[in-house]
Amino acid sequence: GTLGIIVNPVLLIEHWRKKKKNPKWSTQTQMNSDGVSLQIKEKPQIMVIDDSITVRKSTEKVLENAGFEIVLAKHGSEALELLQQDKPDLILCDIEMPVMDGFDFLRNLRNNDKYSAIPIFMITSRTADKHRNYAMQLGANEFLGKPFQEKQLLALIKEYLKKANDLIEK
């Protein structure tokens, strides 16, 4: 009749694996040519924002298999909170979500100098030209329909990350 602590070793191991994968824990320090210390992430980090748990998990699996670090959010408001902790290299965002939709999130991000340069891909079932044009007008870098083609998405991600690396090196 007394309370006791039960530890699930499988969940504990999984928790520490995720902590170990977190870029905050897996950074390397390098010196640039000016002698300034830089924190370099071992894996590029991608934020996935979608209210569907199925879409979030399937996208997470595709991206993890391609070697990326993933951060998941259920809606734009949660994504903005997560951005306070860490800045991803690229964002994949749905349009129709509760609390804050993808258009409002995109508008907020593009109006903030700290995050305005992050590439954002809108991935949505709303593929009409009016949605595409509005997203591009707000500052989306790419606009893809659901279900997305894995090879196309990964090629676009690699292209944008390469552009970002080329800009950093210059």
Side-chain angles (χ1 to χ4, degrees), residues 63-153:
L63 296 173
E64 279 183 344
N65 288 341
F68 298 108
E69 182 71 35
I70 312 304
V71 175
L72 302 174
K74 294 181 214 91
H75 47 73
S77 183
E78 181 181 22
L80 289 175
E81 289 176 22
L82 291 170
L83 283 171
Q84 302 302 314
Q85 298 169 19
D86 204 5
K87 184 178 171 185
D89 299 294
L90 191 136
I91 297 173
L92 306 179
C93 185
D94 188 16
I95 290 177
E96 292 183 311
M97 297 178 287
V99 185
M100 179 185 285
D101 70 15
F103 290 138
D104 286 338
F105 173 78
L106 181 57
R107 191 178 299 108
N108 274 287
L109 210 67
R110 291 303 184 226
N111 288 330
N112 185 328
D113 291 338
K114 184 176 177 182
Y115 306 114
S116 62
I118 300 173
I120 301 177
F121 297 3
M122 303 305 282
I123 301 178
T124 181
S125 56
R126 299 286 184 178
T127 57
D129 283 343
K130 70 177 184 176
H131 295 103
R132 174 185 303 274
N133 294 339
Y134 189 55
M136 299 309 261
Q137 179 185 351
L138 290 174
N141 297 87
E142 294 290 336
F143 190 93
L144 303 170
K146 283 184 186 176
F148 59 83
Q149 301 296 317
E150 288 180 25
K151 287 182 181 180
Q152 177 192 19
L153 177 63

Side-chain angles (χ1 to χ4, degrees), residues 3 5 26 48 59-60 77 100 134 136 157 161 164 170:
L3 295 175
I5 296 175
S26 62
V48 177
T59 306
E60 177 183 34
S77 183
M100 179 185 285
Y134 189 55
M136 299 309 261
I157 289 171
L161 293 179
K170 287 182 181 179

Side-chain angles (χ1 to χ4, degrees), residues 12-27:
L12 188 60
I13 290 168
E14 185 63 29
H15 170 76
W16 285 108
R17 278 190 186 141
K18 284 185 179 181
K19 279 285 194 192
K20 190 175 180 183
K21 286 182 181 179
N22 187 327
K24 291 179 187 170
W25 293 84
S26 62
T27 58

